[in-house]
Amino acid sequence: MMADAMGAFGGEGILNREDPRPLHRQLHAAILEAIEAGRLPRNGKLPSERTLVDIFGVSRITVRHAIRDLVAQGVVQSQPGKGLYVVDPWRGFELQILKSFTATALANGRRPENRLIDARIAEAPLEISRPLLLPIGAEVIVLSRLRLLDGRPVVIQTDWLPAARVPGLLELDWSTGNRSLYGELRERYHLRPVRGQNTLSARLATTEEAERLEMRPPAAVLTVDQIAFDTRNRAVNLTTLVHHPDRYPLTLAQSESGDIQQF
């Protein structure tokens, strides 16, 4: 492990005691150079504090100062209980209501996964029945899932759908594989969302949300409320999303004319 870490920095500590820059700035530059050169891979684990102390012959305070600056820059991030990891500087996911999580992930070259949290039929409360244009107490399907990218949890997604329009939906296996809800709606029920709206907000994660998303409380999450409509202007589904802001950042690009543009 030590040999691998030394190899990432050219085999030996390279700090110059005669350099006018503070040691933590030299260490910061050495780590950044190793990342940019690919010797410390994106999404790879950073050597431990102890290892960096031994390689560069500096104090823990110096190491922590350098790492703090890298974290503040968004170059490195902490994964509780696992250590520090180099951030993959991709530009984020564009917010598109008519494109599923699965399709968005695959389009970005990521591996989507799914873990079932809840799947049941319930009576719709007012805050659910109203946007779905249903009477209070109408039966809705509740489907809640933890969505993962490359094995890491990024979003808690809960969907509400009018039960009468999607009979048998809960008979499908949502606990394994990577089943796409929008794919099933199109192919099995001939429901095709053609327009919708998003409402974005931010708040502190609940204890349960933080645990599922591997965040250390208090932690802020990005929330997105979505509703999609079909060609007959009927509500297809209501979705709430709780995003890990670092692992699943959102981007929204828009031109002066109001048209969405991909950059």
Side-chain angles (χ1 to χ4, degrees):
M1 192 64 160
M2 175 68 77
D4 291 341
M6 291 186 67
F9 299 105
E12 60 181 354
I14 55 174
L15 303 191
N16 183 357
R17 303 286 173 170
E18 297 182 0
D19 192 311
R21 293 177 300 166
L23 289 176
H24 75 271
R25 295 304 305 166
Q26 292 187 55
L27 178 56
H28 172 278
I31 295 173
L32 195 60
E33 192 277 331
I35 292 171
E36 292 174 346
R39 297 192 300 273
L40 288 175
R42 305 290 181 178
N43 294 321
K45 189 174 182 179
L46 202 69
S48 68
E49 279 188 10
R50 179 72 264 172
T51 299
L52 292 173
V53 166
D54 291 342
I55 290 175
F56 291 96
V58 294
S59 68
R60 282 184 179 269
I61 292 177
T62 297
V63 171
R64 289 172 182 170
H65 197 163
I67 290 175
R68 183 184 66 191
D69 290 346
L70 290 166
V71 171
Q73 286 180 277
V75 176
V76 170
Q77 69 178 16
S78 174
Q79 294 187 23
K82 296 183 179 180
L84 291 159
Y85 285 78
V86 179
V87 173
D88 186 359
W90 55 290
R91 61 185 173 85
F93 291 94
E94 189 169 357
L95 182 59
Q96 297 186 37
I97 191 171
L98 302 181
K99 194 171 185 179
S100 71
F101 174 89
T102 300
T104 301
L106 293 175
N108 282 271
R110 312 298 289 272
R111 174 170 55 87
E113 295 179 69
N114 170 77
R115 293 179 188 166
L116 182 65
I117 297 174
D118 189 19
R120 56 189 167 89
I121 293 180
E123 293 185 359
L126 180 61
E127 63 270 20
I128 300 300
S129 63
R130 177 178 290 169
L132 288 177
L133 305 177
L134 297 172
I136 298 177
E139 287 191 336
V140 291
I141 285 179
V142 183
L143 181 63
S144 184
R145 294 168 289 168
L146 180 65
R147 315 309 297 269
L148 300 91
L149 287 177
D150 303 327
R152 302 169 70 192
V154 296
V155 179
I156 299 170
Q157 176 176 344
T158 303
D159 288 276
W160 287 267
L161 305 97
R165 299 188 67 191
V166 287
L169 187 70
L170 293 184
E171 296 174 9
L172 303 177
D173 186 3
W174 297 97
S175 61
T176 58
N178 188 46
R179 191 180 296 275
S180 169
L181 176 60
Y182 270 19
E184 295 293 344
L185 292 180
R186 287 193 302 268
E187 297 169 15
R188 190 177 298 269
Y189 300 102
H190 308 292
L191 295 174
R192 188 175 188 87
V194 295
R195 72 174 185 88
Q197 64 184 41
N198 291 292
T199 303
L200 282 72
S201 186
R203 59 171 172 79
L204 290 178
T206 66
T207 301
E208 183 179 29
E209 289 168 344
E211 182 178 353
R212 292 189 188 280
L213 293 173
E214 298 179 348
M215 303 174 74
R216 180 177 299 173
V221 290
L222 175 66
T223 63
V224 183
D225 295 321
Q226 300 179 333
I227 186 165
F229 300 89
D230 64 13
T231 54
R232 297 171 59 185
N233 212 32
R234 297 178 300 177
V236 174
N237 69 309
L238 175 67
T239 305
T240 63
L241 302 160
V242 180
H243 285 245
H244 190 304
D246 296 321
R247 295 180 182 175
Y248 200 91
L250 294 176
T251 62
L252 179 63
Q254 194 167 15
S255 69
E256 186 177 14
S257 66
D259 297 327
I260 298 296
Q261 296 181 340
Q262 181 77 33
F263 291 94

